[in-house]
Amino acid sequence: MCLGIPGQIVKITDETRLMALADVSGVRREVSVACVATPDLSDLVGEWVLIHVGFAMSLIDEDEAAKTLEALRGLGEAQETLEAMADGAAALEGSQ
């Protein structure tokens, strides 16, 4: 399964290499914007994109980005709950 994480383009870092700085939930990383490039790359600043393995794969709107980030947060919380349950079950088995 491929997972695209929403990020917002905050700065073009290298026009020649089609690279930009994206903010992903407060973490900034450099990504390739080759897949979403426009004739004037500065048009991408402020845009939301889905990022996968260092590539901005597609443009998305802010509402879709917010919904996706919320769903990912929910998945993270669900994973933490499942891990806590597994740890509890293992502790019970070990005490028997």
Side-chain angles (χ1 to χ4, degrees):
M1 176 175 97
C2 295
L3 182 64
I5 306 293
Q8 188 174 31
I9 303 298
V10 295
K11 177 181 174 183
I12 303 302
T13 57
D14 187 336
E15 287 191 33
T16 304
R17 292 181 28 237
L18 301 173
M19 300 298 289
L21 190 65
D23 184 299
V24 180
S25 294
V27 177
R28 291 186 174 200
R29 62 179 298 196
E30 194 171 40
V31 298
S32 171
V33 292
C35 296
V36 295
T38 59
D40 182 358
L41 287 182
S42 66
D43 290 343
L44 293 174
V45 174
E47 293 290 334
W48 286 89
V49 293
L50 278 180
I51 299 169
H52 178 67
V53 294
F55 289 86
M57 302 301 290
S58 64
L59 294 170
I60 59 174
D61 63 41
E62 187 173 0
D63 185 52
E64 182 178 352
K67 288 177 183 175
T68 302
L69 287 169
E70 186 60 32
L72 291 172
R73 282 187 202 96
L75 288 172
E77 290 171 12
Q79 182 63 34
E80 289 174 11
T81 300
L82 290 171
E83 289 172 3
M85 290 172 64
D87 290 346
L92 283 175
E93 287 176 11
S95 67
Q96 291 178 2

